[in-house]
Amino acid sequence: MNILKPAQAVLLNADLLPTILSEFEENQDEMFLYLFVNKTWAATLVRLLWKAPIWNSPRSYKLFLRTLRKSNATFAYGKLIRRLVFEPIKNREQPTFGNDDLKLFSIKSDRITHLTFGQTDNFFAAEAVCELVKNNPNLSGFAATKPCYNIAWLNIALSPVINGHCLKLTQLEIQNMRHFLIFLDYWPNGDYSDDAICQTRDLIREIGFKCPIFALDINVHIDDAMADMITQTFKSLKILHCETVSCSALKILLPYCKKLKWLSIAFSSEQPSDDIQQEIGSQFPSLDALNLFLPPHDWSPFTKALAPNQTNLRRINLFGCDSVTDEAFLPIAKCCVRLEFVGLICCQLLTDASISVLARNVSKYLKNINICRIPKLTDVSIIEFANNCHNLEKFVLDNCKKVTSRSLTLLVRKCKSLTELSGDYPRIIAAKIVSTLATQGNTKLQVLQIHSRHDPDSNIIEGKKYRRFDLGLLEKLADKCPKLKELELKCYITGLYPNLLINALYKLRNLEKLFMEPKQNLNREHIMKLENHPRLKEVRFEGGCSEDAMLYIKERNKNRKGMFIHVKPTY
């Protein structure tokens, strides 16, 4: 009989920790530091349990694995793990894991619900993954996205699922390439032979027969045969992501997928007639989210048939739809009035005629908009967003050269719920945006990412008199936007004297991530002082560091501990 120590008896269940901490609005991650013994690897467990770690470093993962191997550890930490994710850590040195580490998790962790094998440098043998899957019967989500995880690997790794050991699996993602590769004329990775496609279809069918899958993310082209298999096997499908799909396959698929709520598809390169477009568009179920890639063609008959049934649509993302015109987008702008997220990326033909209509119609619901490379967009649409969308929380605008500071500063002043503001602007516009924030303030803003470029044409449009972006403006920003957590200013800022800059950064008390281009040389002492910032976890500089500072950063990074600092050299 196992007798628990007093400390073990009062340990909170892992499922309760995120629930409890979600009630605390700020600094949830660092609260985990007070729940575990070893502060270096406690953050690693945060990632395994719930969210990204506090200090991302190979050292913390190694220490955590060392603790798991101990036979006399105070707590059974392995049993706390619910999510095990192997993915690249942005801007960090990648931890190294081997098959022995995976076997350790197989022995120590039998309550994992989600497994993800992403595109890291680590490669795991299919047999090791198979053992881990088999020892976690409560698995509800599995994802494998690394190119070398081919169909032969998947057949072995997922054999416990096929054999009925994981009857709770509801989410399956198997891809060896990402969605953006649909823009290439060929697939550099993956086996697209007829045999591989048949094996993939058979594997998905076997899993679908055994498990109540409702979310399916696959890297294959859905043809008629695949569509038939999906309709016969996945009766409760709510989420479907695929690479490409034929119109004939959609005609088979859509009538039997009435429960679909989230759909991501790219139409194949065929050019359907108006009648076929109308037939397909009218068969779409009422969705919550729709991601679309439409190849060059007139798609207005499709959208006119699609939009009237999408009155409850909350998210839409049109990516690379450079043939979509205002005529095609207007039905969506008029009918989909409950949109909370809108992504319009590289939709070259759209103009204010349809986007301003969208802004007026989604005024009460819109929270997040991402607009990139729409050359005909002007201040007219941005002013409509500013005047109508006062619940807007995230605004991203990149490479829309006809938009000026007149509309952007108005949006900053009127949208007081903004938590994230990002974009690529000419220098003069970037300075005016930051100046407006520093003057008007925003107590909710957490992320500010401004990239500026030298654009002589914008100087002519804006006029030469404008507020210079200097250190004083940065200090005012700290005062007026106290909740800033991420600050990325790839801008020309004057007066960045090292001591004054460090003092200004200390005024940003909640800052966790920083990216700047300091023009004056920061020395070793400045970096050491920056390390003592109360919450700063990640610093990236583009130039601006002296030789002794660079040597110190190189030496400290060898220890792989604490704040991450990276300096990109300038030439």
Side-chain angles (χ1 to χ4, degrees), residues 361-376:
N361 286 341
V362 299
S363 57
K364 291 191 299 183
Y365 298 97
L366 190 66
K367 294 181 179 180
N368 187 345
I369 187 161
N370 187 346
I371 301 176
C372 178
R373 295 185 184 278
I374 301 183
K376 297 180 181 180

Side-chain angles (χ1 to χ4, degrees), residues 170-173 179 212-218 222 230 234-242 253 257-265 285 287-291 314:
T170 57
Q171 303 168 53
L172 178 66
E173 179 182 356
H179 290 294
I213 301 290
F214 70 78
L216 187 62
D217 192 341
I218 51 179
I222 296 183
I230 291 174
F234 300 93
K235 304 296 185 181
S236 302
L237 202 61
K238 296 181 181 179
I239 301 172
L240 176 62
H241 302 265
C242 69
L253 194 65
C257 294
K258 295 301 183 182
K259 294 182 180 181
L260 269 181
K261 289 301 177 182
W262 193 306
L263 182 60
S264 298
I265 56 172
L287 299 169
D288 290 336
L290 177 61
N291 298 328
R314 294 183 295 109

Side-chain angles (χ1 to χ4, degrees), residues 224-511:
D224 293 2
M226 183 69 77
D228 275 328
M229 183 276 292
I230 291 174
T231 58
Q232 294 170 16
T233 308
F234 300 93
K235 304 296 185 181
S236 302
L237 202 61
K238 296 181 181 179
I239 301 172
L240 176 62
H241 302 265
C242 69
E243 292 297 339
T244 55
V245 62
S246 66
C247 290
S248 59
L250 275 176
K251 290 170 68 175
I252 297 170
L253 194 65
L254 292 174
Y256 292 93
C257 294
K258 295 301 183 182
K259 294 182 180 181
L260 269 181
K261 289 301 177 182
W262 193 306
L263 182 60
S264 298
I265 56 172
F267 280 77
S268 53
S269 57
E270 59 188 301
Q271 297 187 354
S273 65
D274 290 359
D275 290 341
I276 292 177
Q277 287 191 49
Q278 291 171 1
E279 181 182 357
I280 293 172
S282 62
Q283 289 180 340
F284 271 68
S286 180
L287 299 169
D288 290 336
L290 177 61
N291 298 328
L292 269 179
F293 169 74
L294 301 171
H297 191 56
D298 176 18
W299 292 97
S300 53
F302 167 70
T303 56
K304 288 176 182 176
L306 168 75
N309 194 37
Q310 303 304 322
T311 53
N312 292 318
L313 194 68
R314 294 183 295 109
R315 297 175 57 90
I316 190 166
N317 194 9
L318 300 182
F319 189 88
C321 300
D322 54 9
S323 63
V324 172
T325 61
D326 286 329
E327 183 184 2
F329 188 64
L330 269 171
I332 295 173
K334 290 178 179 178
C335 296
C336 304
V337 296
R338 292 180 179 270
L339 284 170
E340 297 176 11
F341 169 83
V342 177
L344 301 173
I345 314 298
C346 301
C347 299
Q348 304 279 345
L349 300 181
L350 292 185
T351 72
D352 295 320
S354 59
I355 297 178
S356 59
V357 171
L358 174 75
R360 289 193 293 271
N361 286 341
V362 299
S363 57
K364 291 191 299 183
Y365 298 97
L366 190 66
K367 294 181 179 180
N368 187 345
I369 187 161
N370 187 346
I371 301 176
C372 178
R373 295 185 184 278
I374 301 183
K376 297 180 181 180
L377 187 77
T378 72
D379 285 337
V380 172
S381 294
I382 306 302
I383 289 172
E384 291 290 353
F385 285 116
N387 288 333
N388 295 286
C389 304
H390 295 157
N391 294 320
L392 195 64
E393 295 176 1
K394 295 183 180 181
F395 180 80
V396 181
L397 184 74
D398 276 339
N399 286 291
C400 298
K401 294 188 176 181
K402 290 189 177 181
V403 176
T404 72
S405 63
R406 183 170 72 93
S407 62
L408 292 170
T409 54
L410 180 67
L411 185 133
V412 169
R413 289 198 300 270
K414 289 201 168 187
C415 297
K416 293 295 186 182
S417 295
L418 278 176
T419 60
E420 179 177 335
L421 179 63
S422 303
D424 185 302
Y425 312 103
R427 287 180 185 175
I428 190 170
I429 296 179
K432 287 187 176 182
I433 291 173
V434 178
S435 178
T436 303
L437 278 172
T439 304
Q440 301 292 325
N442 184 320
T443 57
K444 295 184 178 181
L445 192 67
Q446 296 182 21
V447 179
L448 179 61
Q449 298 175 334
I450 302 290
H451 290 202
S452 71
R453 59 185 183 275
H454 180 59
D455 188 350
D457 293 337
S458 68
N459 292 337
I460 296 172
I461 297 172
E462 297 281 335
K464 291 185 178 180
K465 291 184 179 180
Y466 67 98
R467 176 73 159 89
R468 295 184 68 184
F469 198 159
D470 58 17
L471 189 62
L473 203 57
L474 187 62
E475 291 179 331
K476 289 183 179 179
L477 189 67
D479 180 52
K480 293 290 187 176
C481 302
K483 289 191 176 181
L484 268 178
K485 291 185 177 181
E486 297 184 30
L487 182 61
E488 187 167 323
L489 296 175
K490 195 173 181 181
C491 311
Y492 179 75
I493 307 176
T494 61
L496 289 184
Y497 301 108
N499 288 326
L500 297 177
L501 172 61
I502 300 300
N503 290 337
L505 293 176
Y506 262 79
K507 293 180 180 180
L508 293 158
R509 301 295 294 175
N510 290 305
L511 193 63

